[in-house]
Amino acid sequence: MVRLSCLSGVGPLSLACGLFFGGLTAAGAQADVERRVEDLLSRMTLEEKLGQLNLISHGPPLRWEDIAEGKAGALLNFNSAQDVARAQALARQSRLKIPPIFGLDVLHGFRTQFPIPLGEAAAFNPDLSRLASEWAAKEASYVGVQWTFAPMADLSRDSRWGRMVEGFGEDPYLGSVLTAARVEGFRTGGLATATKHFAGYGAPQGGRDYDTTYIPPAEMYDTYLPPFRAAVKAGSVSFMAAFNALNGTPSTASPWLQTDVLRNQWGFDGFVTSDWAGIHELIGHGVAADGAEAARKAILAGVDMDMMGQLYIKHLPDEVRAGRVPEQVVTEAARRVLRTKMRLGLFDQPDIDPTHVDSVFPSPESRKAAREVAQDTLVLLQNRDNVLPVAPGVRTIAVVGPLADSPRDQLGPHAARGHDSDSVTILQGLRQRAEAAGLRVEHAPACDQFCRNTDKLPAALEAARKSDLVVAVFGEPQELSGEAASRTNLALNGRQAEVLEALAATGKPVALVIIGGRPLVLGTLAEKIPSIVMAWYPGTEGGTAVADVLFGDANPSAKLPVTWPRATGQVPIYYNRLPTGRPTLPNNRFTLQYIDEAITPLYPFGWGLSYTTFAYKDPAIAGTRLSPGDNLDVSVTVTNTGTRPGKEVVQLYMRDPVASRSRPLRQLKAFEKVALDAGESRQVRLRVPVEELGFHLDDGTYVVEAGDIEVFVGGNSLAPSVGKVVVAEPIRIPPTEQRASASPGVVR
Ligand code: BGC
């Protein structure tokens, strides 16, 4: 497998690749890497090999001398050029002068913060994802970061899980496309990726972070693994093992995941790191009695690098000497790490210039990019009475809510080197835009950050009454989202609902802007408040982007990458669920129902409005009998039937109505975002290889069964049927043959 596409990038890493590989063919370069790695390995002691497998963070317990002694081959949380340069200089004093690799959680920006990944996913636009990741990488690599612990490829159907914010939502196809785009974007900007958390981390029981996951193997292959596989194909150089246990085996000790699937079936030849102290946690999981056993199980499973456990370096020398771990296993892990460092050009590039500082960002260009990306991530969930965009008659706007002027909250979790002071808050953005147009803006927070104290509510109601429009900015302060932020109750926290009800009761038109990292339960507010925008955590330029959209300078075009529940008790809720023998029938209790809540979500997957409208006409399927090698080929004419330009995400879903196993009611198989002027029509053509219409068996074999496939096309997951095709011949692809074949669910 050739994975030297770092050559095509423009960041520092790829520049180094270019220098190093100059004049060599890809195969020649590959051979040269292997030759240099073998030469190095032949000169390394066991301890030096283990040093390459030790990933340790800035600060205690790191001893800087460890770097010069070859005991710290990988470093994390070094986020200034001075520290990176100091470590690089120390590594040059080591016996073999092997450069460390510097990693950091760079998820949605480094200094300039872009919208959080779930929000970025709402853009349904891989080019935009590439752009955002490229910017994050450019800024991080400027100060010497080389490797990001991203993208997070964990699919999640459960918004109680706080880390949903770091991913792409609930759909394996969207997730595959965007994970690949993020890997590519990071690489172009100069960062290698550690795609995480391998695997099944996004489905912990009860939505509790770190808790156990049970997912049958076929479901892993169909739903949870495709985004990771897309990352392999896109050239992710490394993976991170998940903290939790999958079907009773912690991922960090799972030979099935780390070796059978990743290496043997997918042909991955980079390296796998544990998560933070993940190897030590094997003791807590109850599969290892002590550190030595934990280290042994992890390395034998295929986890090459120990993040913050220091167990490999401490215990594996004895484990090898006692014959419990073959030295060959350690050598192979070191080989993977060295091969990756070599491919990235780390051996051949100059050390970082210590005068580089991240305060050169945000730059006008990075701000512009962050603003454009954020505009495209805002989802207009509802807009009764066309409260938005701000109407010409509006003279005064009351901006209410604690999150309107909260520079830190809008950055969201995992904001790397994001500075609050760089943020343009929503209040600032709205005020600037409004005042330029001669409108007045009054700000009234109504309550404190967590909305526990509502002493300031009367002032906010007074401001609302005096205004023509209320823009209410509420949602989740960023501490309520991200790692270790599981929630049992997805309602707006604190007394936000009470405040919003009071605002609605003033009779003034209210537009609610929600800040947050997951769908939140709105209850009766969805009826009482006419216009609702999901703004996620929109980043450094969140305020300008929100103003652009609220004033109609930008037309919202994002769609939900997750199903939005009506009640917490509905989760996990997702559109691509299986049928049942008792589909919902109104007035029949003994069908799929709740007795205390509607069965449907509040907003379905793929949902999002625009200030214009789109009509779908003349859907046509070219060729309704599909043989191997054929495409499901659907075209449809989409017309912008409104009065302003807009963008629509045209979505194609399929269903296999009769199969040997129950198949989902809908599955997204293709989408395209099209920009249309007012009145403009465009024929959109979506193609899906017949090899992507099937499903997996428990052993990873991919099958497409002969028979009908129903097809749906439209602007959300409730899209109407446009007909059906027939798969003429069954297809069967064994796991190892899928490496080079068209990849199910992967961007083409
Ligand atoms: C998280 C990872 C992250 C790592 C390093 C862990 O707690 O689970 O996603 O990359 O910390 O910061």
Side-chain angles (χ1 to χ4, degrees):
M1 186 187 292
V2 176
R3 214 179 351 267
L4 297 172
S5 37
C6 60
L7 291 169
S8 62
V10 294
L13 291 178
S14 42
L15 174 66
C17 290
L19 290 172
F20 169 51
F21 292 126
L24 290 177
T25 62
Q30 184 94 301
D32 198 53
V33 165
E34 296 303 322
R35 188 189 52 70
R36 290 177 74 188
V37 168
E38 292 314 313
D39 170 60
L40 202 47
L41 282 170
S42 69
R43 289 183 283 128
M44 289 171 82
T45 63
L46 175 62
E47 281 70 17
E48 281 167 333
K49 289 176 194 166
L50 289 167
Q52 291 304 304
L53 312 185
N54 193 27
L55 170 55
I56 182 150
S57 180
H58 192 280
L62 172 73
R63 297 164 54 246
W64 285 84
E65 308 86 90
D66 288 345
I67 304 172
E69 290 164 14
K71 292 179 186 160
L75 297 163
L76 78 146
N77 294 332
F78 279 61
N79 49 24
S80 79
Q82 289 95 320
D83 282 347
V84 171
R86 182 176 166 204
Q88 286 175 324
L90 285 168
R92 288 192 186 280
Q93 293 168 22
S94 65
R95 191 177 79 89
L96 295 167
K97 305 187 184 354
I98 300 174
I101 183 166
F102 295 88
L104 185 73
D105 290 290
V106 181
L107 268 80
H108 53 102
F110 183 64
R111 178 76 190 240
T112 311
Q113 293 303 305
F114 285 69
I116 46 87
L118 186 63
E120 182 213 287
F124 273 69
N125 184 346
D127 289 338
L128 208 83
S129 294
R130 256 179 231 110
L131 178 78
S133 302
E134 185 181 338
W135 264 108
K138 276 201 284 206
E139 293 190 0
S141 60
Y142 182 72
V143 300
V145 179
Q146 298 162 335
W147 180 38
T148 175
F149 303 126
M152 189 185 90
D154 295 307
L155 181 140
S156 181
R157 297 164 158 178
D158 189 336
S159 34
R160 291 172 297 183
W161 189 56
R163 299 198 81 169
M164 176 184 264
V165 65
E166 293 178 53
F168 51 78
E170 74 188 34
D171 184 69
Y173 177 72
L174 180 66
S176 299
V177 171
L178 298 186
T179 300
R182 288 170 180 171
V183 168
E184 289 158 8
F186 281 126
R187 181 173 59 233
T188 307
L191 284 188
T193 47
T195 304
K196 67 190 186 186
H197 305 83
F198 197 61
Y201 182 46
Q205 291 199 329
R208 292 177 294 269
D209 205 4
Y210 317 123
D211 209 346
T212 297
T213 294
Y214 282 99
I215 308 171
E219 177 68 349
M220 281 298 287
Y221 282 114
D222 279 344
T223 304
Y224 290 88
L225 292 178
F228 289 98
R229 189 155 175 268
V232 173
K233 292 201 164 202
S236 184
V237 303
S238 66
F239 281 75
M240 184 188 293
F243 279 131
N244 61 341
L246 169 68
N247 302 328
T249 303
S251 296
T252 308
S254 168
W256 180 70
L257 280 172
Q258 314 301 348
T259 298
D260 297 351
V261 173
L262 191 56
R263 267 83 184 223
N264 299 343
Q265 295 180 8
W266 295 350
F268 173 69
D269 67 354
F271 69 91
V272 175
T273 176
S274 76
D275 201 341
W276 187 281
I279 298 175
H280 188 267
E281 289 176 14
L282 294 179
I283 301 172
H285 276 289
V287 299
D290 51 30
E293 190 176 3
R296 184 167 75 237
K297 286 207 160 169
I299 195 145
L300 290 176
V303 174
D304 305 297
M305 198 177 261
D306 175 2
M307 185 199 290
M308 285 307 284
Q310 304 218 73
L311 297 181
Y312 280 7
I313 201 149
K314 184 162 171 206
H315 295 292
L316 289 183
D318 283 348
E319 292 297 297
V320 168
R321 280 178 210 117
R324 287 186 289 268
V325 172
E327 178 158 3
Q328 187 45 37
V329 172
V330 174
T331 305
E332 179 57 25
R335 178 178 289 119
R336 291 170 180 151
V337 172
L338 292 171
R339 174 193 284 147
T340 306
K341 287 183 174 181
M342 200 81 78
R343 284 179 180 169
L344 294 172
L346 305 192
F347 284 83
D348 305 284
Q349 69 188 15
D351 290 352
I352 192 71
D353 177 345
T355 65
H356 284 192
V357 284
D358 62 43
S359 55
V360 299
F361 304 109
S363 61
E365 296 76 26
S366 72
R367 283 191 179 278
K368 182 167 174 281
R371 178 175 180 172
E372 282 169 8
V373 173
Q375 286 171 352
D376 264 32
T377 63
L378 267 53
V379 188
L380 181 61
L381 295 170
Q382 59 182 50
N383 195 21
R384 283 196 302 273
D385 308 326
N386 293 329
V387 164
L388 292 176
V390 176
V394 170
R395 305 308 322 151
T396 308
I397 303 177
V399 177
V400 180
L403 301 184
D405 198 26
S406 186
R408 176 152 179 269
D409 285 312
Q410 73 185 52
L411 301 181
H414 283 294
R417 295 281 288 173
H419 284 213
D420 305 354
S421 55
D422 294 335
S423 293
V424 180
T425 68
I426 295 172
L427 176 66
Q428 288 165 347
L430 286 172
R431 181 163 273 156
Q432 199 180 11
R433 175 63 178 80
E435 288 178 357
L439 276 63
R440 239 170 41 83
V441 164
E442 196 163 333
H443 178 225
C447 54
D448 60 323
Q449 190 200 12
F450 286 86
C451 213
R452 294 182 186 118
N453 178 328
T454 52
D455 290 352
K456 293 185 178 146
L457 178 57
L461 295 177
E462 184 58 21
R465 281 190 205 98
K466 284 201 236 140
S467 71
D468 305 311
L469 170 70
V470 179
V471 174
V473 188
F474 288 84
E476 288 184 301
Q478 63 117 356
E479 283 89 341
L480 297 189
S481 180
E483 185 176 351
S486 304
R487 296 182 65 179
T488 60
N489 181 356
L490 296 172
L492 291 166
N493 62 280
R495 301 175 72 178
Q496 296 186 57
E498 193 183 311
V499 171
L500 283 163
E501 300 234 355
L503 287 170
T506 62
K508 294 291 177 175
V510 181
L512 168 62
V513 176
I514 303 175
I515 300 298
R518 54 182 139 206
L520 294 168
V521 165
L522 299 176
T524 55
L525 292 172
E527 285 137 45
K528 293 184 178 147
I529 294 187
S531 184
I532 304 182
V533 174
M534 182 61 185
W536 315 102
Y537 295 106
T540 304
E541 283 290 320
T544 29
V546 167
D548 292 335
V549 167
L550 264 47
F551 276 86
D553 303 333
N555 194 348
S557 62
K559 303 276 185 171
L560 285 178
V562 281
T563 300
W564 195 295
R566 293 173 190 275
T568 309
Q570 287 184 317
V571 299
I573 184 169
Y574 49 96
Y575 84 95
N576 44 1
R577 63 183 186 81
L578 297 184
T580 72
R582 294 192 175 193
T584 307
L585 289 176
N587 309 322
N588 185 344
R589 178 175 180 153
F590 296 95
T591 61
L592 196 72
Q593 309 273 6
Y594 288 108
I595 54 170
D596 60 352
E597 183 53 273
I599 191 73
T600 53
L602 183 60
Y603 310 110
F605 174 85
W607 176 263
L609 301 174
S610 163
Y611 297 146
T612 186
T613 43
F614 299 97
Y616 287 70
K617 270 213 209 97
D618 307 326
I621 304 180
T624 51
R625 261 187 94 71
L626 303 180
S627 298
D630 287 348
N631 284 320
L632 163 64
D633 188 336
V634 184
S635 49
V636 66
T637 302
V638 184
T639 305
N640 178 343
T641 48
T643 53
R644 56 171 81 215
K647 288 180 260 184
E648 170 70 327
V649 180
V650 182
Q651 303 163 42
L652 183 155
Y653 295 84
M654 65 155 268
R655 179 182 179 195
D656 181 351
V658 184
S660 57
R661 218 177 60 220
S662 270
R663 303 301 306 137
L665 287 163
R666 294 275 164 116
Q667 286 177 274
L668 182 69
K669 284 289 162 182
F671 62 85
E672 190 171 330
K673 194 162 193 173
V674 286
L676 295 171
D677 281 334
E680 188 185 350
S681 290
R682 174 110 37 95
Q683 198 189 49
V684 178
R685 194 166 166 201
L686 297 165
R687 269 167 291 193
V688 186
V690 64
E691 286 78 10
E692 296 185 13
L693 303 181
F695 54 92
H696 292 87
L697 307 180
D698 274 343
D699 70 354
T701 301
Y702 190 76
V703 295
V704 187
E705 296 181 341
D708 289 355
I709 298 286
E710 293 168 359
V711 185
F712 311 83
V713 174
N716 61 65
S717 58
L718 305 178
S721 168
V722 295
K724 63 180 185 183
V725 292
V726 179
V727 175
E729 284 170 48
I731 298 169
R732 195 180 177 88
I733 313 174
T736 44
E737 280 175 33
Q738 291 168 30
R739 282 188 199 179
S741 70
S743 163
V746 173
V747 66
R748 290 169 297 282

